[in-house]
Amino acid sequence: MKTIDSLGDLRGKRVLVRSDFNVPLDGTTITDDGRIRAALPTLTRLTDAGARVVVTAHLGRPKGEPDAKYSLAPVAARLGELLGHDVALAEDVVGPSAQKTVAGLEDGQVALLENVRFDARETSKVDAEREELAAELAALADAFVSDGFGVVHRKQASVYDVAKILPSAAGDLVLKEVESLSRATVDPERPYAVVLGGSKVSDKLGVIANLLTKADRLLIGGGMLFTFLKAQGHPVGSSLLEEDQVDTVRGYLETAAANGVEIVLPVDIVAADSFAADAPHQTVPADSIPDGTMGLDIGPESGALFASKLADARTIAWNGPMGVFEFEAFAAGTKTVAQGIIDATSAGAFSIVGGGDSAAAVRLLGFDEAAFSHISTGGGASLELLEGKELPGIAVLTD
Ligand SMILES: Nc1ncnc2c1ncn2[C@@H]1O[C@H](COP(=O)(O)OP(=O)(O)OP(=O)(O)O)[C@@H](O)[C@H]1O
Ligand SMILES: O=C(O)[C@H](O)COP(=O)(O)O
């Protein structure tokens, strides 16, 4: 991959940086700023070099038009605090405000463009539409640095197309992530265990087919476990479910059995009456979730089972919390798995935590980040790398 050094002397140059600032928010309060902090090395390196830094990023999944709920204003404020000087936020993506903000930048200053997904062309499946937005972004800069590792699996204008127009390089975060994750993709030490959870079920079910050819054990928790339970013929109440994936998942179970890959499913579930922090709840066997209740965490027996399957692993990748860890009552499964991974790491395993929410869970639940071998800022991106896929936002930076 091309590095920032390859861009030459950047003093006085306008450098467009794609960062991943898709941080968890509670209203306008950032509940975990890990992704912003992870972006700082590249940003300060560029400002130290005298560049005029223009950052583009997304937040959430707005519908291709401005939506105040997804404004990057809280991010601009936090970034300014962390950098120690104000970060101007343009009111639009590439319009008059963006152009004026960039024109006002001095050497060594940083500005942020408003949520790039406020422009429908960013995520368009039509090449020409993305290319048009990429050209407008490129017109704001002299060079491009791709540093939003969490989004390099997206073939989007600010990630992929713009890199084809400007002299481009991978930022330090992207380089570090790719190097660390390669320990799990290039000849991993075995047993290799992958723990999957979270709520982006449709995104993540697809990765299982590929992981079945790479990992020795797959531990399934979080929102996707219910599609597995359903595939085994069990009731799941009103839990998260991808009904149209049930047959596919049944196929995964068969393939795993035929290939000698162990799929470990929870044996008990914490089922709640509703999706709320104070919802009445009970622990029930995984094969009999009562009607009208929803599974919001794996149960204690499952936690112990998962920990035992991690204890002798030599490589571990974890993506997605085991339950709704944001609510204290449903955080135990995620805590037990995090502790299991930490114990295995102390015993010599190489461990990767992937996913904005998983990394946030580790910090919010009070675990020491240094107790894991690598905490990735990427969710889908780290998973796709683990699957062995070529990521568009990486491929485009390769000579
Ligand atoms: N059983 C469940 N039902 C509903 N939501 C769940 C369940 N288990 C976990 N979650 C939710 O999953 C969310 C995290 O899922 P996600 O797939 O986004 O994780 P991630 O891969 O770490 O993050 P990202 O893809 O954003 O980097 C958390 O907010 C958590 O509350
Ligand atoms: O949170 C993430 O995983 C990245 O920021 C990508 O977001 P997306 O899944 O909405 O493309």
Side-chain angles (χ1 to χ4, degrees), residues 35 198-200 204 222-223 226 240 295 319 321 323-324 326 355-358 379:
R35 279 181 164 166
S199 60
K200 289 182 184 169
K204 290 183 190 178
F226 306 101
L240 266 188
N319 182 296
V324 184
E326 296 92 336
D357 284 292
S358 319

Side-chain angles (χ1 to χ4, degrees), residues 18-23 35 58-62 117 123 148-154 156 200 203 319 355-357 377-382:
R18 177 51 156 112
S19 297
D20 183 359
F21 288 152
N22 195 17
V23 289
R35 279 181 164 166
H58 75 282
L59 179 67
R61 294 177 171 176
R117 290 188 184 173
T123 55
F149 176 73
V151 80
V152 288
H153 59 316
R154 303 292 186 212
Q156 296 177 349
K200 289 182 184 169
D203 280 11
N319 182 296
D357 284 292
T377 55
S382 59

